[in-house]
Amino acid sequence: MQPTPLHAGHDREIESLAEFDEVVSVHGSLTRFRVQSVDLTDRTDALLSVDTSGAVFLGCPMDPRAAARVRATGALVFPPIPGLPFDPYRGVLHSPDELFASLDAGYEATPDARTYTWFQRTKADGDVFASMLRSIHDDAVSDALDELLLGTRVVGVMGGHAMARGTQAYEGAALLGRELARSGLMVATGGGPGAMEAANLGAYAAPFDDAMLTEALRLLAGAPSFNPSITDWARAAFTVRERWPAGGPSVGIPTWFYGHEPPNPFAAHIAKYFANATREDGLLARSNAGVVFLPGAAGTVQEIFDNATPNYYESHGEPTPMVLVDRAHWTERHPTWPLLQSLARERSMESRIALVDRIEDAPEALKRLGG
């Protein structure tokens, strides 16, 4: 059997025991490899025998003898940090099951909530150690996100958190997410409630028939918002996931900066950040197949122009499609469209923007703008 090749572009990173064993077996050396958050307590013999010079071990539990030996060979060992509710060295993205573990005891008991509490306690205390841990975590998340999306066509779906389950707008966003996923695109959202959750739900529902989505929408409508109870809101989502396991994949990119907004459980891969600016820029920059903007308020308006700026200057290359949904919303309630049009006039991005009345028109507009 041929060994599984390590991820292109990240061929010096080891993020699981299986990869560790493969590298030791195939290469017989760990020289200059980076091992991220892998429990190596049962790999002492390997660590005592193979060459580890120039290697870096990030948050890898190991026997003290092994740790002493790899340090002696010139490897760097960053030990696990006790007492943290998150892993700053993580090699893979978060999952809903991980972030919502212990939900049976209430949302406050979950790693997601406990991490937000830690962030609230440390974000303004001036402790360089805490700020370093946040930065390491966010960089590790970005690295894992790049690995996941390498070679993937990603479409962003942006919209407000206030869109309630049980509404026609929520259903429309779910249908949009489903159609985009079925067309072969990876749906990426801000990872929170409302329109973001609806689009991730749609991608989750992509492998199933219409009856599944209809029933899922009905079940979710029983807890229309994360207020007043995040616990009830999340439990409704997990009821859907348990009834229809193995849904389609999508990405959610939320932030603990807005920690009062929980991540939604329908994104298979959750890249949750401490730094909101890093999160927003990364989400839009990775939406290489374009972005659909559903009705929203200040946050969505900001995202429109965060996306428009690199398109205007072509700083990321050829402009990517931008589709705004709901003419009245974007020309009267929050008149963003006229300004976007004026920025785009006589520039290459002019042929890459569109305003549609109905959410049902967004996929065709996206396809048309993308050529």
Side-chain angles (χ1 to χ4, degrees):
M1 178 182 297
Q2 292 295 318
T4 303
L6 293 170
H7 202 293
H10 297 267
D11 59 353
R12 308 299 293 182
E13 295 178 6
I14 297 174
E15 297 160 350
S16 69
L17 272 178
E19 287 184 348
F20 179 89
D21 291 340
E22 178 181 315
V23 168
V24 170
S25 174
V26 173
H27 297 276
S29 170
L30 292 169
T31 299
R32 302 190 65 79
F33 277 87
R34 280 78 175 102
V35 191
Q36 283 182 261
S37 195
V38 180
D39 189 340
L40 299 176
T41 52
D42 291 332
R43 296 298 186 272
T44 300
D45 289 345
L47 292 171
L48 291 176
S49 60
V50 301
D51 185 0
T52 57
S53 58
V56 179
F57 295 86
L58 300 167
C60 299
M62 61 180 76
D63 184 278
R65 293 174 299 149
R69 192 263 174 180
V70 299
R71 285 193 181 98
T73 67
L76 292 176
V77 179
F78 292 78
I81 309 298
L84 282 181
F86 65 95
D87 179 5
Y89 307 114
R90 60 183 313 110
V92 297
L93 296 181
H94 306 275
S95 71
D97 289 333
E98 173 196 349
L99 289 178
F100 285 98
S102 304
L103 182 63
D104 287 345
Y107 173 71
E108 295 74 14
T110 66
D112 185 65
R114 291 189 292 110
T115 300
Y116 177 55
T117 299
W118 177 88
F119 181 37
Q120 288 293 97
R121 188 177 68 249
T122 63
K123 67 180 182 180
D125 64 5
D127 184 356
V128 67
F129 182 58
S131 62
M132 181 191 72
L133 292 175
R134 294 194 296 269
S135 296
I136 291 173
H137 170 274
D138 285 3
D139 188 68
V141 166
S142 290
D143 182 71
L145 188 58
D146 286 338
E147 290 187 50
L148 174 73
L149 298 179
L150 185 68
T152 301
R153 295 289 287 164
V154 180
V155 58
V157 179
M158 310 297 163
H161 66 267
M163 184 184 289
R165 296 167 172 174
T167 62
Q168 185 176 355
Y170 185 95
E171 179 180 358
L175 291 169
L176 171 67
R178 188 177 69 172
E179 183 168 350
L180 293 172
R182 285 178 173 177
S183 73
L185 297 169
M186 176 69 82
V187 173
T189 78
M196 297 171 280
E197 181 191 53
N200 288 128
L201 167 64
Y204 187 90
F208 303 101
D209 59 15
D210 290 351
M212 175 270 174
L213 184 55
T214 299
E215 180 62 9
L217 290 168
R218 186 191 67 81
L219 291 170
L220 292 171
S225 172
F226 63 96
N227 284 318
S229 173
I230 295 176
T231 302
D232 292 344
W233 175 87
R235 282 175 177 165
F238 277 98
T239 296
V240 171
R241 284 168 45 92
E242 289 160 8
R243 185 164 173 179
W244 293 280
S250 66
V251 176
I253 307 181
T255 174
W256 280 293
F257 184 81
Y258 297 131
H260 61 287
E261 294 182 15
N264 79 73
F266 291 111
H269 311 285
I270 301 177
K272 191 156 190 179
Y273 288 88
F274 289 105
N276 186 50
T278 304
R279 165 250 190 177
E280 287 189 344
D281 181 68
L283 171 55
L284 293 167
R286 290 176 175 88
S287 297
N288 53 22
V291 182
V292 178
F293 296 92
L294 302 178
T300 310
V301 170
Q302 177 180 335
E303 288 162 348
I304 289 172
F305 291 105
D306 281 346
N307 193 208
T309 300
N311 281 345
Y312 180 89
Y313 290 111
E314 298 187 41
S315 54
H316 294 164
E318 186 178 351
T320 52
M322 299 176 65
V323 179
L324 279 60
V325 176
D326 192 330
R327 187 175 301 274
H329 186 86
W330 294 121
T331 61
E332 299 172 17
R333 192 170 300 114
H334 298 300
T336 302
W337 175 250
L339 179 53
L340 185 62
Q341 273 189 307
S342 69
L343 284 172
R345 190 167 297 121
E346 298 182 357
R347 303 187 75 89
S348 57
M349 70 178 285
E350 188 172 19
S351 63
R352 295 299 181 93
I353 64 172
L355 174 65
V356 299
D357 288 311
R358 305 181 311 140
I359 199 168
E360 295 87 349
D361 300 328
E364 179 57 36
L366 190 70
K367 182 178 179 181
R368 182 179 73 252
L369 298 180

